Amino acid sequence: MITVHGVPLSPFVRKVQLALRYKGLDFTSIPVMPGDDSDAFSKISPLHKIPVLEHDGFTTPDSSVILRYLDQSFPDKPIYPSDPQSQAKACWLEEYGDTKLVESAAPIFFQRIVRPRFFNEPTDEALVTQKIEVELPPVLAYLNDALPTDGYAVGDHLSIADIGIVSPLMSARHGDYMPDAKTYPKLAAYFERALASDIVQKQLSVELEFMGVN
Amino acid sequence: MITVHGVPLSPFVRKVQLALRYKGLDFTSIPVMPGDDSDAFSKISPLHKIPVLEHDGFTTPDSSVILRYLDQSFPDKPIYPSDPQSQAKACWLEEYGDTKLVESAAPIFFQRIVRPRFFNEPTDEALVTQKIEVELPPVLAYLNDALPTDGYAVGDHLSIADIGIVSPLMSARHGDYMPDAKTYPKLAAYFERALASDIVQKQLSVELEFMGVN
C-alpha cells in the first residue's frame, strides 16, 4: 500500500507521482501543503517539506530519496540507467531540475495561479518578468544543449532525468509559460513529446482537477 | 585516474574525499574555490559549485551524484546500505546533512576561520551566535535522536549517512564548535568515534595543512 503525502502541484510531489505512474503502481494521495508544521506531519517530514512516501508503514521524505527507494523496492521499469556514467548524467539532470529549473520555473506557476486562485492575492508581475526574461533563459539554454534531438534525456527509456526536467516544466506550463521552439528547439520538442505521453496526460488531468479547472 | 576539483575545506568536497579514502582509492586534488566562473570550470560545473569529480576523462558535479557514481564504479566497500529502507534512511540523513546541518554549521567555520584568515575580514559574531544558539540546537537534537548509541549511523559499517553527517560537523570543529556531550550524548560520542577513525584523521591532517595550521 503506497501513499503520497503532498499536493500534486508541487514539482517534487509530481516527480514521485510520475514515477509511480510510470511503474504502474497504485497509490493514494493526501494533499498536504508544503510547510505543514503539524505534529503528525513533522514526525514524518522533519523539514516540513513535501512529498513524503508511505509504503506499508515505512515513511521517507525527499523526492530524490523516494525515487531511489521506489526503484529498489519495485525494480521493474527501472528509472536509473545501469551504466554508472549514464546514471551520473541522469542524476545530475535531476539535481539541475530540482534546483535551477524549479527556482526559475515554479514561481511563474505560484505567482500566476496559486496566489490569485488559492490565496486571493495579486500576481507579482515584476517577479514573473524577472523569471521569464532573466533567470529562465540560461537554464533552458543549458537543458536544450544537454538534450538529444529525439527520445529521452538519457538512454532509450524514461529515467530520473526526464522526471526531474519535465516536472518543473509542467509547473511553468500551468502558469502559461512554454519554452519557445525557435530559441530552444530540442527542449521544446522534448517537452511536447513528454506532454503527449500517457503518464503525463494522466498526471495533468489529476492536477487540473485539483486546481478546479476540469 | 581520479581527480577531485574543489578545496578540501568545503563540506561537499570533503564528502567525496572521505568516500575515496574509505574505498582506498588514490586521487589528486585541484583546490578550486566555490563560485569559480572561469570558462574551463563552468564547462564541468554549470552551477560553479564544488566538487567536480574527474575519472578517466569523465566528469560530473554534485557530491551526491559523485558518491553514487563512485560506489557503482568501485563497488568494494559499498557506502549505500543494500536494504531499500536502510538505504532511504541513510540517503535522507545525507540530505539532512547537506542542507540543515551545512546551513547551520558551515557558517561557523566560514566566519571564524575563512573570513579572518583568507579574506582579512572580521568575524560576524552575531551571525555565529545565531547559528550556535538558535539554528544548530534543533538540528543537533534531531541527529542525536536519529543516531544509535554505538556504531555507525545506519547499518554495521560506514555509509553515506556518516559521510553526510560527519563532514559538516568537521567544518564546525574547524570553527572551534563541538556538539555538547551533555545535551547531545549520542551525537557527541558518534562524532568522537568518527574523529578517531583513520580516514577522518587523514582528512583532518590534509585540511589543517591546507589551512596552514600544520
Side-chain angles (χ1 to χ4, degrees):
Chain A
M1 166 107 177
I2 296 174
T3 305
V4 178
H5 298 252
V7 288
L9 296 169
S10 145
F12 302 109
V13 175
R14 184 184 295 126
K15 284 172 64 189
V16 172
Q17 296 199 352
L18 287 172
L20 288 165
R21 294 185 200 289
Y22 178 65
K23 285 178 173 285
L25 297 167
D26 287 334
F27 63 95
T28 55
S29 177
I30 299 178
V32 180
M33 292 289 281
D36 183 331
D37 60 358
S38 66
D39 286 352
F41 193 64
S42 301
K43 214 173 251 183
I44 59 173
S45 185
L47 303 182
H48 316 298
K49 288 184 181 174
I50 53 173
V52 167
L53 182 82
E54 187 178 345
H55 173 220
D56 290 345
F58 173 77
T59 64
T60 185
D62 193 88
S63 66
S64 298
V65 176
I66 291 168
L67 291 175
R68 185 71 71 164
Y69 172 81
L70 286 173
D71 211 54
Q72 293 183 318
S73 301
F74 305 96
D76 279 356
K77 302 188 88 176
I79 53 174
Y80 295 88
S82 53
D83 160 62
Q85 293 191 6
S86 300
Q87 183 168 144
K89 186 182 175 192
C91 289
W92 161 249
L93 287 172
E94 181 205 15
E95 169 67 15
Y96 192 85
D98 281 354
T99 54
K100 290 302 274 189
L101 185 55
V102 163
E103 288 155 21
S104 51
I108 300 171
F109 163 68
F110 183 79
Q111 290 295 333
R112 285 185 169 168
I113 304 294
V114 178
R115 288 193 72 181
R117 200 170 300 182
F118 294 89
F119 298 149
N120 202 23
E121 290 172 351
T123 298
D124 181 340
E125 297 290 352
L127 192 144
V128 171
T129 302
Q130 164 75 11
K131 295 293 169 186
I132 290 176
E133 294 186 3
V134 179
E135 293 179 34
L136 262 175
V139 173
L140 300 182
Y142 175 75
L143 290 171
N144 189 68
D145 282 350
L147 289 170
T149 47
D150 201 6
Y152 297 92
V154 179
D156 58 4
H157 59 76
L158 183 141
S159 79
I160 187 73
D162 303 301
I163 292 171
I165 296 168
V166 168
S167 179
L169 289 177
M170 288 173 70
S171 295
R173 182 183 178 279
H174 283 317
D176 253 337
Y177 179 86
M178 291 283 281
D180 178 61
K182 279 186 188 146
T183 318
Y184 316 105
K186 288 195 291 180
L187 178 65
Y190 166 87
F191 188 41
E192 288 295 352
R193 290 195 300 280
L195 286 172
S197 71
D198 287 347
I199 66 157
V200 172
Q201 282 295 312
K202 173 67 183 167
Q203 181 69 22
L204 267 179
S205 78
V206 168
E207 294 186 21
L208 292 174
E209 189 178 338
F210 188 84
M211 287 160 71
V213 173
N214 276 7
Chain B
M1 166 108 181
I2 296 174
T3 304
V4 178
H5 298 252
V7 288
L9 297 169
S10 146
F12 301 109
V13 175
R14 183 183 296 125
K15 283 172 65 188
V16 172
Q17 295 199 353
L18 287 172
L20 288 164
R21 294 186 200 289
Y22 177 67
K23 285 177 172 286
L25 298 167
D26 288 332
F27 64 95
T28 54
S29 178
I30 299 178
V32 179
M33 293 290 280
D36 183 330
D37 61 358
S38 66
D39 286 351
F41 193 65
S42 301
K43 214 173 252 181
I44 58 173
S45 185
L47 303 181
H48 316 299
K49 288 185 180 172
I50 54 175
V52 167
L53 182 82
E54 187 177 343
H55 174 221
D56 291 344
F58 173 77
T59 65
T60 185
D62 193 86
S63 66
S64 299
V65 176
I66 291 170
L67 291 175
R68 186 69 74 165
Y69 173 81
L70 286 174
D71 211 55
Q72 293 182 316
S73 301
F74 305 97
D76 281 356
K77 303 188 87 177
I79 54 175
Y80 294 86
S82 54
D83 160 62
Q85 292 191 7
S86 301
Q87 183 169 145
K89 186 182 176 193
C91 289
W92 162 249
L93 288 171
E94 181 204 15
E95 171 67 15
Y96 192 85
D98 282 354
T99 54
K100 289 304 272 189
L101 185 56
V102 163
E103 286 156 21
S104 51
I108 301 171
F109 164 69
F110 183 78
Q111 289 295 333
R112 286 185 169 168
I113 304 293
V114 177
R115 288 192 72 179
R117 199 171 299 182
F118 294 89
F119 297 150
N120 202 24
E121 290 172 350
T123 298
D124 182 338
E125 297 290 353
L127 192 144
V128 171
T129 301
Q130 163 76 11
K131 295 293 169 187
I132 290 177
E133 295 186 3
V134 180
E135 293 179 32
L136 262 174
V139 174
L140 300 182
Y142 175 75
L143 290 171
N144 188 68
D145 282 349
L147 289 170
T149 48
D150 200 7
Y152 297 92
V154 179
D156 59 3
H157 59 75
L158 183 139
S159 79
I160 188 75
D162 303 301
I163 292 172
I165 296 168
V166 168
S167 179
L169 290 177
M170 289 173 69
S171 295
R173 183 185 179 278
H174 283 317
D176 252 337
Y177 179 86
M178 292 282 281
D180 178 61
K182 279 186 189 146
T183 317
Y184 316 105
K186 289 195 290 180
L187 178 65
Y190 166 86
F191 189 40
E192 288 296 352
R193 290 196 298 281
L195 285 172
S197 71
D198 287 348
I199 67 158
V200 173
Q201 282 295 312
K202 173 66 186 169
Q203 182 68 22
L204 268 179
S205 77
V206 167
E207 293 186 21
L208 292 174
E209 189 179 339
F210 188 84
M211 287 160 70
V213 174
N214 277 7

